[in-house]
Amino acid sequence: MRRTKEAAAQTRQTVIDAALRLFSQRGYSGTTFRAIADEAGCSRGPIYWHFANKKELFEEILSFSQQPLEQLVVSDFDLTRPRETARAFADRWLTLLIEDPYFRQSFEIFLNKTEFTDEMVETISRERALTDSLVSNFTLLVNAVKQLKATEFGDKDDYQRSQSEGSERVVALSMYAYLMGITQTWLFNSDIVSLSEAKSQIVAHFCGFLEQIE
């Protein structure tokens, strides 16, 4: 029984690895179960044993990038040390891109190889929710820095009155767009910059958005 379970788990992983390669090469619409079976060196039967349809397999692939980002969303955001928290967040994001091939390939498939058809409605809805969660967390960091600056400013009421309404959300959105822009550009052409060499500078620029609340 144990060998059977191990064999099934190995087959499932082989199918996932094959699907990762094909989705990254051909996109969602251009990849079929038959092609995945050929790439995995098996019939379509074992694939249907583990995945009801292509959409379910695709969602499994996307989970390699979604789950780490969701974990970052629910991680402890230390608002007493917002600058350090922001630095750690960006560093973790970039480290995943550099070191985790499943995270990297899954992210690339979603950003650069996915056609947003009607079949992708649930996927898009979940990604929008994840985006909103990330921007909301960044807004908390921006607000925390604002409060620290208000204390340093000496007159909290005057400082807060000097800020335009909604400016924190705009800064948070800029932080998100910056990380996503770096990510998508690098995944599209990894030769454009050595991400490992540029990581510290990218993180510094990311944290610099927090200082835009004057």
Side-chain angles (χ1 to χ4, degrees):
M1 177 66 70
R2 181 174 179 178
R3 291 187 63 185
T4 300
K5 289 183 177 179
E6 289 177 349
Q10 183 176 358
T11 298
R12 187 176 191 276
Q13 188 60 50
T14 299
V15 168
I16 288 173
D17 289 342
L20 264 171
R21 290 191 295 272
L22 292 182
F23 282 135
S24 65
Q25 294 168 9
R26 307 180 183 182
Y28 178 80
S29 297
T31 301
T32 64
F33 259 23
R34 180 182 295 279
I36 293 171
D38 291 343
E39 182 74 13
C42 65
S43 67
R44 282 177 290 177
I47 302 179
Y48 281 111
W49 175 262
H50 294 287
F51 304 99
N53 49 52
K54 185 173 71 169
K55 181 67 163 48
E56 185 176 301
L57 175 53
F58 186 72
E59 292 294 337
E60 177 74 13
I61 297 301
L62 291 187
S63 72
F64 289 120
S65 61
Q66 291 168 338
Q67 289 179 1
L69 292 182
E70 288 168 354
Q71 289 170 3
L72 283 174
V73 167
V74 300
S75 63
D76 183 21
F77 267 53
D78 185 355
L79 298 182
T80 65
R81 304 170 67 248
R83 294 178 176 92
E84 292 82 355
T85 299
R87 182 173 298 278
F89 181 98
D91 184 83
R92 177 58 179 160
W93 178 306
L94 295 172
T95 298
L96 282 167
L97 280 175
I98 295 167
E99 298 182 357
D100 188 332
Y102 286 97
F103 179 85
R104 183 169 60 250
Q105 283 185 273
S106 174
F107 224 143
E108 180 179 21
I109 289 167
F110 180 75
L111 290 178
N112 296 329
K113 298 290 185 177
T114 300
E115 308 86 344
F116 296 122
T117 62
D118 291 342
E119 197 174 359
M120 296 286 107
V121 170
E122 292 181 7
T123 300
I124 294 170
S125 177
R126 187 171 58 255
E127 288 294 331
R128 285 176 175 168
L130 180 56
T131 295
D132 186 66
S133 296
L134 286 167
V135 174
S136 294
N137 276 4
F138 293 163
T139 303
L140 292 176
L141 293 177
V142 175
N143 271 315
V145 170
K146 178 178 177 179
Q147 294 302 317
L148 289 175
K149 286 190 173 186
T151 301
E152 296 166 0
F153 192 83
D155 188 333
K156 186 174 181 179
D157 291 336
D158 285 349
Y159 181 84
Q160 289 181 332
R161 282 195 296 271
S162 71
Q163 307 306 305
S164 60
E165 185 177 356
S167 60
E168 298 93 339
R169 183 80 174 179
V170 173
V171 173
L173 179 59
S174 299
M175 295 168 70
Y176 172 80
Y178 175 74
L179 270 185
M180 285 297 292
I182 290 288
T183 298
Q184 186 166 18
T185 301
W186 183 76
L187 288 173
F188 186 73
N189 178 16
S190 60
D191 292 333
I192 198 167
V193 70
S194 170
L195 200 58
S196 57
E197 293 179 4
K199 183 172 72 168
S200 60
Q201 187 176 1
I202 293 171
V203 171
H205 283 309
F206 174 79
C207 294
F209 284 102
L210 291 173
E211 309 308 324
Q212 293 188 14
I213 295 291
E214 298 294 340

